[in-house]
Amino acid sequence: MTEGKYLRWKDEQGNDFRPVSLTGTALLNDRTLNKSTAFTYEEREAFELDGLLPPRVQTFEDQLNRVYAGFTHLDIDIEKYQYLRALQDRNETLFYALLSRHVDEMMPIIYTPTVGKACQQFSHRYQKARGLYITEDNVNQIPELSRHFQGKDIRIIVVTDSQGILGIGDQGVGGMGIPIGKLSLYTLGAGIHPAHCLPIALDVGTDNADLLNDPMYLGVPRRRMQGEEYHQFIERFVTQVRRCFPQAVLQWEDFSKSNAFDNLTKYQQVLPSFNDDIQGTGAVTLAGILAAMRTKDASLKDQLIAIYGAGAGGVGIADQVYAGLLKEGCDQASAKARIFVLDSQGVIFDDRDNLDAYKQRFAQPASLRDEWGSGLKVSLDELLDKQRITILIGASGVGGAFKASHVSAMMKHTSRPVIMPLSNPTANCEALPQDLYDWSDGQAIVATGSPFGAVIYQDTQYRIGQGNNVFIFPGVGLAAIVAKLPTIGLDIFTTSAYALAECVSEEDIAKGCVFPPVNELRQVSLHVARKILEDVCVKHPDCNICAVNIEEHLEEHMWEPVYLPYRRV
Ligand code: NAD
């Protein structure tokens, strides 16, 4: 008997099956094993299910039609979310098969934007246990806690302290919706088996007064840990995770920006970990820029880039654009000179008082501002006047910040400006795609963070590419698990960006669309993971991956949501 495809076995004749020891209600209550009405008559007899299910056996197809009909009957997104989460909690195979068939329709329900509402309403809509809740009382007992739950072969953890949930800030314990949703995307995108995924909420308190005053609030009713108390808590958490889940990759998610940078800097060499808000955003944006260069038939090293917003996303984008410029042949000084980062006080220069550490590496010399003859604060308007900016990225959360005048200013230097208003949700987007097309006579190359419908310009329809981090993190996670990477560095994300850019079809490139459709997620994740592993092999020719066919090896690790015949053990 051999094991392959993660939790799939083959007998001597090569038939797939799954050995199962649970019976009766225990089997029906196991969400990774439950087949519900699709248990065959033989399985019902073998696994003591007779009488526990309605008599008629359904096919997988029948079940999919039934649950999809239930989904489409609902009108309100948060109810659709609740419906899908309930399905996930009773039958994960059916849940992921349904999701795989309706990626476009269901991704905005299980993740942004609907998951934001689910986090806000977490305590009022709580249904069923999933994941680990770590508090000051149990942070030293993670090994004991992990004995309380079923799947112990954890390969990927998404953890949040819920302070910077999407665009809605501190959600206390309700932030648990984010790790749950992100891990669903790991399984959907890269086939990481649900039993290998662990969502964790660090309940370090909340400063959200509405939550603290709500008698239904399910988290620890205290103000947030700060300073040394917080850092010691994170240190204890990381120590315990390394001890308890030595094979796991850890993704930091939705921390406040200063904690996000601090935790990443402190722990990225300690365990295989990354921050998607910083590094995933950087990689997906670089990919869009690289694809835009194909559209324009231009080179990245000739561009000047303005990044509007200097938080986790903006600085992560600057990091990756800088890495891309170096890869394209720029030296460090000229790469840095091509990137202008702005925050709420304008372009960042190196003589600003109390400049956050994470912003310092992209501060321009104050002497440049003197050359321009500008005052202390240099706005986006002034920057576009002084520099021949060809790429403008929005990561500020300021809706409508990009104006027609900005587009006109860019078009003095480039016939095809690249403009990516990435802020979410739609109301926070720096400019609407239709406006950008209209203001630029259809010449702007546009991508957004939120999903937008097609734009119609002069009777032609243009699909708007979505710079969704989901194109990056599942492939990175899969590669890190398969190659057992000890750390996940900046170079991994640069490789992912180039890999994603390769996934944009020539047809899309010709029409100025710089991201693949989201329903190609699985192929994209496989390609991203393959490119990372090829890089690992170049750098470590004696690694265990070199000897195998990388694509086949990755596919072996990608779970597919299908029912296997069960054999009792
Ligand atoms: P953040 O809070 O860490 O950073 C926001 C930054 O914007 C801060 O530096 C702030 O100073 C700056 N800012 C605020 N007002 C400004 C103004 N008027 N002018 C210039 N800068 C201003 O947030 P974040 O995590 O970096 O996310 C920012 C936005 O980017 C959010 O809307 C988020 O949804 C979006 N985002 C999109 C993607 C994606 O599309 N793939 C990924 C990550 C974040």
Side-chain angles (χ1 to χ4, degrees):
M1 188 161 80
T2 56
E3 185 187 349
K5 280 243 176 197
Y6 267 30
L7 310 184
R8 175 181 282 208
W9 282 256
K10 277 192 192 303
D11 63 17
E12 282 76 12
Q13 287 74 44
N15 302 313
D16 287 322
F17 73 100
R18 178 88 202 258
V20 171
S21 57
L22 294 180
T23 57
T25 47
L27 177 55
L28 296 177
N29 287 334
D30 185 302
R31 56 196 173 213
T32 62
L33 291 176
N34 185 20
K35 299 186 195 177
S36 177
T37 53
F39 276 113
T40 61
Y41 293 120
E42 294 74 23
E43 285 171 331
R44 292 175 189 214
E45 197 181 333
F47 290 93
E48 298 165 26
L49 300 171
D50 277 331
L52 300 182
L53 291 162
R56 187 163 170 187
V57 172
Q58 283 194 303
T59 63
F60 198 30
E61 212 47 45
D62 291 336
Q63 286 186 320
L64 279 163
N65 291 336
R66 170 166 56 82
V67 291
Y68 185 56
F71 176 85
T72 51
H73 276 124
L74 297 168
D75 293 325
I76 300 171
D77 285 350
I78 187 68
E79 284 173 5
K80 291 183 175 182
Y81 172 89
Q82 198 89 342
Y83 178 86
L84 289 178
R85 285 280 299 103
L87 176 61
Q88 183 180 21
D89 282 340
R90 36 172 219 277
N91 184 337
E92 292 197 296
T93 312
L94 190 56
F95 168 75
Y96 284 108
L98 182 71
L99 233 53
S100 310
R101 288 190 181 195
H102 306 281
V103 177
D104 279 333
E105 191 178 0
M106 294 184 179
M107 201 185 293
I109 302 294
I110 59 155
Y111 207 66
T112 55
T114 310
V115 73
K117 193 149 264 174
C119 290
Q120 287 172 313
Q121 301 182 9
F122 178 85
S123 294
H124 290 256
R125 289 183 175 268
Y126 180 80
Q127 295 185 112
K128 196 164 182 193
R130 179 177 282 261
L132 272 185
Y133 296 86
I134 304 299
T135 66
E136 58 193 320
D137 292 334
N138 67 19
V139 65
N140 289 325
Q141 296 155 13
I142 296 179
E144 289 84 355
L145 303 183
S146 72
R147 280 198 282 276
H148 297 173
F149 63 86
Q150 203 189 357
K152 293 191 195 70
D153 185 10
I154 298 303
R155 304 295 175 92
I156 188 123
I157 293 170
V158 177
V159 62
T160 186
D161 75 356
S162 308
Q163 193 169 8
I165 296 297
L166 307 171
I168 53 176
D170 186 347
Q171 295 305 318
V173 75
M176 180 54 124
I178 297 293
I180 291 174
K182 258 260 124 119
L183 286 164
S184 302
L185 300 180
Y186 272 101
T187 304
L188 178 69
I192 296 173
H193 192 281
H196 294 317
C197 300
L198 179 62
I200 298 185
L202 301 178
D203 190 345
V204 294
T206 178
D207 292 338
N208 182 329
D210 290 343
L211 297 178
L212 289 174
N213 293 328
D214 180 354
M216 303 279 258
Y217 178 58
L218 290 172
V220 180
R222 61 158 280 181
R223 301 296 300 263
R224 268 185 184 274
M225 291 178 199
Q226 306 278 351
E228 211 28 49
E229 187 189 11
Y230 176 84
H231 294 303
Q232 281 184 14
F233 177 89
I234 298 290
E235 179 74 35
R236 287 203 297 257
F237 166 70
V238 169
T239 306
Q240 298 274 328
V241 161
R242 289 184 67 205
R243 188 174 304 154
C244 207
F245 308 112
Q247 305 230 59
V249 169
L250 183 134
Q251 181 183 321
W252 305 94
E253 184 72 26
D254 284 1
F255 287 69
S256 72
K257 48 185 178 263
S258 63
N259 286 335
F261 283 104
D262 283 356
N263 291 336
L264 183 64
T265 311
K266 203 160 165 197
Y267 298 112
Q268 63 186 345
Q269 296 300 322
V270 173
L271 76 173
S273 65
F274 67 95
N275 183 305
D276 181 54
D277 306 309
I278 302 171
Q279 296 164 296
T281 305
V284 81
T285 308
L286 174 60
I289 291 173
L290 293 169
M293 294 302 103
R294 276 166 66 200
T295 297
K296 283 173 66 137
D297 197 16
S299 168
L300 174 59
K301 68 179 180 342
D302 299 326
Q303 311 302 311
L304 288 188
I305 303 105
I307 301 170
Y308 190 75
V315 173
I317 293 166
D319 280 333
Q320 278 306 326
V321 171
Y322 178 76
L325 285 165
L326 296 186
K327 201 172 155 83
E328 300 285 324
C330 283
D331 61 39
Q332 292 183 353
S334 64
K336 197 178 154 191
R338 292 189 167 276
I339 303 171
F340 296 85
V341 181
L342 300 92
D343 62 10
S344 53
Q345 299 175 57
V347 178
I348 299 174
F349 290 101
D350 59 8
D351 62 346
R352 193 191 287 176
D353 289 338
N354 302 322
L355 188 58
D356 294 305
Y358 61 87
K359 293 179 184 171
Q360 277 164 12
R361 55 185 183 271
F362 293 107
Q364 290 289 343
S367 55
L368 183 65
R369 190 186 53 215
D370 299 338
E371 261 174 49
W372 297 347
S374 303
L376 271 184
K377 181 168 175 173
V378 176
S379 65
L380 178 62
D381 301 65
E382 196 172 352
L383 174 68
L384 294 175
D385 187 42
K386 300 290 182 194
Q387 290 286 306
R388 300 164 67 90
I389 299 293
T390 52
I391 300 177
L392 174 60
I393 311 292
S396 64
V398 181
F402 296 166
K403 311 284 185 209
S405 58
H406 296 140
V407 177
S408 308
M410 291 178 79
M411 290 188 78
K412 286 185 192 153
H413 320 299
T414 174
S415 57
R416 303 218 59 190
V418 178
I419 308 180
M420 299 190 190
L422 294 180
S423 291
N424 302 309
T426 312
N428 294 359
C429 190
E430 287 83 359
L432 300 179
Q434 183 71 57
D435 288 340
L436 292 172
Y437 270 74
D438 293 343
W439 296 336
S440 66
D441 296 330
Q443 292 305 300
I445 300 169
V446 179
T448 53
S450 299
F452 277 93
V455 158
I456 298 182
Y457 184 77
Q458 290 187 344
D459 299 331
T460 306
Q461 189 163 307
Y462 296 91
R463 185 173 74 78
I464 301 299
Q466 190 194 355
N468 192 327
N469 296 20
V470 78
F471 287 129
I472 298 290
F473 65 80
V476 169
L478 176 64
I481 292 170
V482 170
K484 298 188 170 51
L485 297 180
T487 57
I488 303 172
L490 190 79
D491 56 328
I492 299 274
F493 287 90
T494 313
T495 301
S496 316
Y498 277 79
L500 170 55
E502 288 167 2
C503 295
V504 186
S505 70
E506 288 308 324
E507 198 188 342
D508 275 336
I509 289 290
K511 289 188 118 189
C513 180
V514 295
F515 289 106
V518 86
N519 56 18
E520 290 177 11
L521 177 58
R522 192 99 171 181
Q523 300 93 292
V524 170
S525 303
L526 182 60
H527 188 68
V528 166
R530 180 161 75 85
K531 288 291 178 175
I532 295 171
L533 293 197
E534 283 173 4
D535 260 17
V536 170
C537 292
V538 171
K539 286 178 193 148
H540 308 281
D542 53 346
C543 73
N544 61 351
I545 312 283
C546 292
V548 301
N549 176 320
I550 289 179
E551 193 146 327
E552 277 175 19
H553 189 59
L554 284 166
E555 280 176 339
E556 274 293 298
H557 286 76
M558 292 173 83
W559 175 70
E560 275 153 37
V562 291
Y563 291 145
L564 298 174
Y566 288 174
R567 296 189 192 166
R568 190 158 173 188
V569 289

